[in-house]
Amino acid sequence: MATIAIYSLKGGVGKSTLAVNLAWCAATLSARRTLLWDLDPQAASSWVLGDGGAHDRAQALFSRDVDPERLITRTRFDRLELLPADASLRDLNHLFRELDKKKRLRKLIADLGDHDHVILDCPPGLTETADQVARAADLIVVPVVPSAFSQRAYATIERQFGGQVAILPVHNMVDRRRALHVAAVEQHADWPAIPAASAIEAASAKRLPVGVAAPKSIAASAFAQLWRAVEQRCG
């Protein structure tokens, strides 16, 4: 089982969109039994893939007050399951500090059952949760918008976790009409790139992966290429 974390120091960089679409690619294009575990209290991935119902039990899993199997739900897509987030995760960093167990997330992942891939949609920030993710993940995928702030945030992640876990930066929300975006992509031509595309926004509004809502779009092809790069990095 490979654990793939989608993580960024910054919010608003398309992290949950990457998580949803990579999870769908893993389940559909590679026919792998995949679990998307939403760790972000904003619960964007849960809204896209879930049933839309209200939940308030996500944090109980970390204190082992509930069996993970009881919280895992099926999605509309074959081989793709969801462990949804809710507002209870807003205090997750505090709980990790109280528990004082550095590998709690890693151990919980090992107890999740028979999955080929676990994809973590992580909250932003240099937090205790981020430290737990770095100890648990086989690969961290970092969305980097072609901007000075986002690139600076990525450099911080490299310094913090680069020697601990494999990291794959991804140019995200790339607008090739903007000279700064083109220059940033050319500077790191070996990074995968996902365009800023209306097909992605429309798919999210429909609560669908891009490969379902617009299977012939450039965006769908970009997500498929990114998934192949991720799968190769995970062996």
Side-chain angles (χ1 to χ4, degrees):
M1 178 174 66
T3 300
I4 302 153
I6 316 302
Y7 166 71
S8 173
L9 198 63
K10 286 173 53 60
V13 295
K15 171 180 56 62
S16 293
T17 299
L18 279 185
V20 167
N21 284 282
L22 287 178
W24 180 85
C25 286
T28 304
L29 302 185
S30 295
R32 304 293 188 184
R33 188 179 177 201
T34 303
L35 175 69
L36 195 160
W37 189 351
D38 193 351
L39 297 172
D40 192 334
Q42 296 184 71
S45 291
S46 302
W47 178 78
V48 174
L49 293 178
D51 58 11
H55 305 277
D56 196 30
R57 304 179 68 194
Q59 185 171 289
L61 190 155
F62 294 90
S63 54
R64 295 193 180 274
D65 293 332
V66 62
D67 189 322
E69 292 291 336
R70 297 184 60 185
L71 299 184
I72 293 175
T73 63
R74 293 183 177 182
T75 70
R76 293 162 285 174
F77 310 106
D78 291 342
R79 296 175 296 276
L80 179 54
E81 295 180 311
L82 172 70
L83 219 172
D86 56 50
S88 71
L89 292 177
R90 65 186 180 276
D91 296 322
L92 184 57
N93 291 314
H94 177 68
L95 177 61
F96 277 137
R97 286 191 293 270
E98 279 192 337
L99 291 171
D100 194 28
K101 294 184 183 297
K102 300 299 185 183
K103 296 183 179 180
R104 173 53 64 88
L105 180 60
R106 181 175 177 176
K107 291 179 179 178
L108 286 171
I109 290 171
D111 294 339
L112 287 176
D114 185 21
H115 296 91
D116 298 306
H117 296 299
V118 174
I119 293 180
L120 307 175
D121 184 359
C122 306
L126 281 177
T127 62
E128 187 65 33
T129 300
D131 290 339
Q132 291 271 343
V133 166
R135 297 184 192 105
D138 298 296
L139 176 68
I140 295 179
V141 177
V142 182
V144 183
V145 175
S147 71
F149 286 141
S150 190
Q151 291 169 357
R152 184 171 180 270
Y154 171 68
T156 301
I157 293 171
E158 274 278 17
R159 288 194 301 270
Q160 186 74 16
F161 302 121
Q164 184 175 347
V165 60
I167 298 175
L168 176 63
V170 177
H171 283 303
N172 203 31
M173 303 165 65
V174 176
D175 185 350
R176 293 188 178 274
R177 297 170 299 179
R178 302 173 64 178
L180 287 176
H181 282 215
V182 172
V185 170
E186 290 177 349
Q187 183 179 0
H188 298 285
D190 56 326
W191 292 9
I194 304 295
S198 58
I200 297 175
E201 295 180 8
S204 297
K206 295 175 182 177
R207 299 173 63 188
L208 291 172
V210 175
V212 176
K216 297 182 179 180
S217 65
I218 293 174
S221 177
F223 281 121
Q225 290 179 33
L226 173 58
W227 169 246
R228 286 192 288 271
V230 168
E231 195 169 36
Q232 184 176 20
R233 289 289 294 271
C234 290

